[in-house]
Amino acid sequence: MNILLLGSGGREHAIATALAASPDSDSIFVAPGNGGSAPGVHNVALDQLDQAAIVRFAREQDVGLVVIGPEAPLVAGVADAVRAAQIPCFGPGASGARMEGSKRFSKEFMIRHDIPTAAFASFTRIPDALASLAKTGAPLVVKADGLAAGKGVIIAQTLEEAHAAVLDCFSGRFGEAGTTVVIEEYLTGPECSLLVFTDGQYILPMATAQDHKRALEGDRGPNTGGMGVYSPVPIVTEDEYAQMLNCMKLAVAGMRSEGIDYRGVLYGGFMLTPEGPRVLEFNARFGDPETQVILPRLKTDLLTVMRAVAAGDLGDLQLEWEERWAISVVLASAGYPGAYETGKAISGIEDAEALEDVHIYHAGTRRTEEGLLVTAGGRVLNVTALGTTFVAARERAYEAIELIDFEGKQYRRDIGLRALAGRSAWE
Ligand code: AMP
Ligand code: GLY
């Protein structure tokens, strides 16, 4: 089967790699893709939001499955267009993607379906939002309603910061995403992601994973798209896991009851508070970089799972997982998440990949016309390693990182350390 995968990050390289390993996959077209490769994988210059071009390409190339990686095409309804053309698609339509595309929609949905989440209020007018601050007090969390690539969430420790965050949100900086603001209760505890495959009725949970969102060691500095991740998350208790899974079941059942036909991945971002797990957010897709530790641990054929999801036929499948731990460290360009330079030559990937149990996923890379691999983004590479113990996986990942070089390479050396230290590290 030929497959069209939309996206260009480390997540998409991990998905393409897993699909390429399937006995049933032929050509895998990645639009637009990056410098990463896998057998049978070809980059194509297609606009991820151009529905007509995507459908035309899929027809011309006899594509049997379209897989949508990032949130923007999902929120824009690309999956609806693909399905309308009778092409199976992995990824929810616009109605389901609102779970990620509108924080207000998603919070109101959680209230309707008794899914535990931070208390909140939403506002479309500055004076109302500011008036509410005085009543609630700090700390609190101010969020732009729409997609803002992780930059629309501000944790305000004081009322002054909250005030500034509200004005910033409405300043026009986030465009349409900032015309509604959500103000939330501030929660504390470790974070944990639980992603599930769902065909709109059945769900198959994936392994838990924990991202490191801050740029600097010790969880300091600005938020990023994610600097490192590991799976599974050892500090989660059985009881917490059961509660998280129940939230995911409530969400899928809730969408079904509201007539949303959701086929793809539902990503639950949780905070494990002293009162139990609370949903911070839902995403309508695989996480990045969570996918880069989840898929290397999935033993079941990914294409089989994705086809069943797209066909609405997940009921009979079971997932098999590697026992081993996985950790992935992001190598970023100097300056990220602020301004950074690109075009720096990357060396050592082959040596790093030659190490046992190491996978290098490309994120912001590209090949020049001469075939040279250079940096092309903020997050450049994801270095994933598997190990029979958490410590072994960590050591292997950092060993691989030593072998890779590019000008300005920066990374966090503390990925996974808190998990090793145990629950008390979050108190
Ligand atoms: P979101 O995009 O809504 O997941 O928020 C991004 C990040 O902001 C989360 O991963 C948390 O680290 C933090 N965050 C979001 N909501 C809250 C909250 N209610 N309390 C504390 N931290 C939060
Ligand atoms: N790693 C967080 C996300 O994909 O949204």
Side-chain angles (χ1 to χ4, degrees):
M1 171 185 281
N2 293 339
I3 300 159
L4 172 60
L5 168 63
L6 303 187
S8 63
R11 164 182 55 210
E12 284 74 26
H13 191 205
I15 295 172
T17 303
L19 289 173
S22 171
D24 295 329
S25 68
D26 295 311
S27 289
I28 302 166
F29 303 102
V30 192
N34 57 31
S37 58
V41 172
H42 319 275
N43 287 353
V44 288
L46 264 182
D47 177 351
Q48 294 175 55
L49 298 176
D50 187 341
Q51 308 190 351
I54 290 164
V55 168
R56 198 176 329 116
F57 179 88
R59 287 208 174 110
E60 278 166 11
Q61 299 294 331
D62 194 20
V63 163
L65 179 69
V66 175
V67 178
I68 304 181
E71 58 276 19
L74 292 166
V75 170
V78 170
D80 300 304
V82 171
R83 275 191 277 268
Q86 312 293 326
I87 302 165
C89 185
F90 182 93
S95 62
R98 287 179 79 194
M99 294 288 274
E100 172 164 7
S102 165
K103 293 199 184 283
R104 178 184 191 168
F105 172 84
S106 138
K107 295 292 287 190
E108 289 174 351
F109 175 92
M110 289 188 240
I111 302 299
R112 282 200 294 285
H113 298 286
D114 288 328
I115 298 172
T117 186
F120 80 104
S122 62
F123 303 94
T124 51
R125 296 185 47 220
I126 295 179
D128 299 342
L130 294 181
S132 86
L133 296 180
K135 278 186 238 143
T136 3
L140 44 77
V141 184
V142 179
K143 300 182 177 184
D145 177 61
L147 294 182
K151 299 185 185 80
V153 175
I154 291 147
I155 315 275
Q157 296 296 347
T158 62
L159 279 181
E160 289 71 37
E161 278 172 34
H163 193 101
V166 166
L167 295 182
D168 187 41
C169 211
F170 283 116
S171 68
R173 193 156 77 87
F174 300 113
E176 190 57 27
T179 55
T180 298
V181 64
V182 171
I183 298 179
E184 272 186 27
E185 167 196 12
Y186 173 72
L187 301 175
T188 56
E191 287 184 49
C192 179
S193 306
L194 178 61
L195 285 69
V196 301
F197 289 106
T198 178
D199 62 358
Q201 180 172 10
Y202 294 99
I203 73 170
L204 284 179
M206 296 183 230
T208 51
Q210 190 176 60
D211 193 1
H212 295 58
K213 291 215 167 75
R214 301 295 199 96
L216 304 177
E217 278 159 33
D219 291 320
R220 292 173 302 110
N223 262 330
T224 69
M227 293 300 289
V229 61
Y230 54 83
S231 172
V233 184
I235 53 156
V236 177
T237 65
E238 258 179 54
D239 183 47
E240 283 171 331
Y241 181 78
Q243 291 184 51
M244 288 163 65
L245 188 56
N246 191 45
C247 289
M248 302 310 285
K249 288 183 178 158
L250 287 173
V252 170
M255 287 193 285
R256 195 173 160 79
S257 74
E258 295 188 14
I260 299 172
D261 182 14
Y262 193 105
R263 301 178 188 206
V265 170
L266 183 66
Y267 168 130
F270 290 86
M271 194 165 265
L272 308 176
T273 77
E275 288 77 42
R278 298 285 180 270
V279 176
L280 291 179
E281 63 167 343
F282 284 116
N283 292 324
R285 50 169 175 85
F286 275 112
D288 188 343
E290 286 85 344
T291 310
Q292 291 88 303
V293 285
I294 290 175
L295 291 185
R297 296 189 61 235
L298 178 65
K299 292 212 284 195
T300 314
D301 177 45
L302 180 64
L303 180 54
T304 307
V305 181
M306 287 186 156
R307 286 167 83 171
V309 165
D313 190 19
L314 204 53
D316 294 333
L317 272 178
Q318 300 267 312
L319 298 182
E320 253 194 281
W321 295 98
E322 271 271 5
E323 291 285 315
R324 290 180 299 169
W325 299 83
I327 185 163
S328 187
V329 180
V330 172
L331 303 188
S333 300
Y336 175 81
Y340 52 82
E341 291 177 15
T342 59
K344 312 289 182 198
I346 304 171
S347 65
I349 292 201
E350 293 77 11
D351 294 337
E353 273 175 329
L355 293 178
E356 216 175 316
D357 300 324
V358 169
H359 304 269
I360 311 293
Y361 297 118
H362 292 233
T365 74
R366 80 181 165 84
R367 291 230 171 248
T368 63
E369 276 169 25
E370 296 76 39
L372 191 70
L373 188 69
V374 298
T375 65
R379 289 188 292 174
V380 178
L381 293 164
N382 308 134
V383 179
T384 297
L386 293 165
T388 46
T389 64
F390 197 96
V391 172
R394 248 192 120 249
E395 282 174 359
R396 183 51 60 90
Y398 283 102
E399 188 186 336
I401 286 172
E402 291 298 315
L403 300 172
I404 300 174
D405 205 20
F406 56 86
E407 192 189 312
K409 169 179 107 171
Q410 58 143 328
Y411 60 95
R412 280 181 56 168
R413 289 168 176 77
D414 65 343
I415 301 302
L417 278 189
R418 259 178 157 190
L420 276 175
R423 195 86 183 203
S424 59
W426 273 271
E427 277 155 12

